[in-house]
Amino acid sequence: MKFVHVLNGPNLNLLGTREPATYGTLTLADIEARLTARCASEGIALSFRQSNHEGDLVGWIQEAGAKGEPVILNAGAYTHTSIAIYDAIRGSGAKVIEVHLSNVHAREDFRHHSTISAVAAGVILGFGALSYDLALDALISQSKTTKS
Ligand code: DQA
């Protein structure tokens, strides 16, 4: 694996101050710094982006899929509603690991369903910022054990 995309959806720019009891106190920049360091040590280039707009996420997923580059995706609330993101993953063939900071199954009913999980290669949730690190670990392990 030479390149990985980490895509973050709506309101994740507020991490650090947003509901810290649920999402922790690390900022998105803190998470990016951790993943950047790990990627650097593995010789992997990282693109780390956030948008509050569904169409941006759709475009970035299409871009990654076209290049055959894997995606770690926290789609935020779009996880629960977005057929456009489902279609982007399916249509582009992007390999996506769905991540969430919180354990969405222990929260409100409307968070229990993900439109993305059915087209994700895997799902990691409930470990706070560590969910992102675990997703990266999974991709690195797979790329070392799977011929591509
Ligand atoms: C989230 C969970 C979603 O339900 C919520 O809308 C978010 C963050 C998480 O990382 O736990 O914005 O994806």
Side-chain angles (χ1 to χ4, degrees), residues 9-12 15 18 22-23 74-80 99-104 107-108 110-111 125-126 128 132:
N11 299 305
L12 292 165
L15 285 183
R18 176 191 181 196
T22 301
Y23 296 118
N74 185 349
Y78 290 137
T79 303
H80 315 297
V99 300
H100 300 285
L101 297 141
S102 63
N103 176 358
V104 289
R107 301 180 63 197
E108 303 97 320
F110 63 81
R111 295 186 204 277
L125 57 89
Y132 286 79

